[in-house]
């Protein structure tokens, strides 16, 4: 994922190769980011972008390491950007009107990417008056579920599909019953809201930050 400015004209990204440069067309792009799949044959180095007129961008400022698939992280922190864990009211078990807080709030600026913390299958992608736009994923290989709430917009992820850790779920927001921009993150053992139980997610979040 390449970030910067004026990137909406990018047609391809060229990576160093062991012998010759190797190019890859973008998967998705905006004016500030381009997502590409690293092509076979790419090597460590500094890639650059090419627009529809053939103009080359400056090479990225630091060397990109091409890692094997086995090195892809299996767990990531769910907010891609600066954050904090807030005050005592943001904690698991904090008092709420008629119930207790079932997750941990991650305080962050609206618009920062919310990422899938583990590989998992989407079981809910809905809106609720309290949770706002939210997604719940069943983590692959376990009977645990993560919930991501208060997203700015409905997620583009599809219910029933499996997504890897690091996949963008949506953006930090304040939809539903939220005061200020934050991600409400829940960790459940057993099915979310249908027989499982929530546990304090803070130790987990600290372990992957």
């Amino acid at each position: 994922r390449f970030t910067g400015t004026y990137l909406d004209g990018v047609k391809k990204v060229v990576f160093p190769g062991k012998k010759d440069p190797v190019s890859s067309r973008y998967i998705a792009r905006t004016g500030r980011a381009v997502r590409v799949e690293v092509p076979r044959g790419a090597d460590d180095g500094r890639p650059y972008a090419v627009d529809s007129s053939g103009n080359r961008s400056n090479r990225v400022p630091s060397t990109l390491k091409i890692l094997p698939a086995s090195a892809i992280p299996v767990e990531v922190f769910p907010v891609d950007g600066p954050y904090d864990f807030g005050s005592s009211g943001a904690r698991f078990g904090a008092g709420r009107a008629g119930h207790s807080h079932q997750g941990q709030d991650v305080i962050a600026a609206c618009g920062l990417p919310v990422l899938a913390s583990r590989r998992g299958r989407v079981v809910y992608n809905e809106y609720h008056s309290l949770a706002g736009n939210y997604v719940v994923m069943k983590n692959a290989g376990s009977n645990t579920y993560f919930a991501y709430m208060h997203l700015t917009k409905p997620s583009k992820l599809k219910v029933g599909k499996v997504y890897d850790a690091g996949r963008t779920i949506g953006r930090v927001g304040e939809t539903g019953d939220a005061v200020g921009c934050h991600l409400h993150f829940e960790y459940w053992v057993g099915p979310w809201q249908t027989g499982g139980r929530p546990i304090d997610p803070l130790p987990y979040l600290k372990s992957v930050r």
Side-chain angles (χ1 to χ4, degrees):
R1 182 172 178 267
F2 296 80
T3 58
T5 55
Y6 307 109
L7 295 177
D8 45 358
V10 169
K11 290 298 182 183
K12 63 181 179 179
V13 174
V14 179
F15 295 81
K18 295 188 181 300
K19 292 184 178 180
D20 299 306
V22 184
S23 65
S24 178
R25 288 187 59 80
Y26 69 87
I27 296 174
R29 69 180 184 187
T30 67
R32 299 188 62 85
V34 176
R35 186 181 297 277
V36 296
E37 182 175 333
V38 177
R40 185 172 298 176
D43 199 5
D44 294 350
R46 297 168 60 196
Y48 58 87
V50 179
D51 68 14
S52 57
S53 299
N55 298 313
R56 289 173 44 166
S57 71
N58 294 328
R59 295 177 185 272
V60 297
S62 58
T63 297
L64 176 70
K65 295 291 186 181
I66 306 298
L67 302 174
S70 59
I72 296 174
V74 295
E75 295 179 304
V76 300
F77 193 80
V79 172
D80 185 9
Y83 69 90
D84 65 66
F85 291 124
S87 63
S88 60
R91 301 286 191 269
F92 177 82
R96 294 290 189 270
H99 67 284
S100 62
H101 199 220
Q102 293 186 320
Q104 170 66 47
D105 290 340
V106 181
I107 314 303
C110 269
L112 285 178
V114 173
L115 310 177
S117 195
R118 288 184 183 171
R119 176 179 171 84
R121 177 173 54 84
V122 177
V123 292
Y124 297 100
N125 180 358
E126 299 180 7
Y127 180 89
H128 187 274
S129 60
L130 297 179
N133 296 307
Y134 73 94
V135 168
V136 179
M137 298 179 71
K138 182 181 187 300
N139 298 315
S142 74
N143 190 33
T144 61
Y145 293 69
F146 289 163
Y148 308 80
M149 299 183 183
H150 305 314
L151 306 176
T152 56
K153 298 178 180 179
S155 175
K156 294 181 180 180
L157 301 192
K158 304 297 184 183
V159 173
K161 287 199 171 184
V162 175
Y163 297 93
D164 289 333
R167 181 63 180 260
T168 299
I169 293 174
R171 302 273 172 179
V172 173
E174 51 183 338
T175 57
D177 186 15
V179 178
C181 300
H182 69 280
L183 168 68
H184 172 90
F185 180 85
E186 295 185 3
Y187 188 144
W188 283 65
V189 177
W192 183 78
Q193 299 288 354
T194 56
R197 62 182 178 87
I199 63 173
D200 185 357
L202 188 57
Y204 170 77
L205 291 171
K206 288 183 174 180
S207 76
V208 294
R209 65 181 175 177

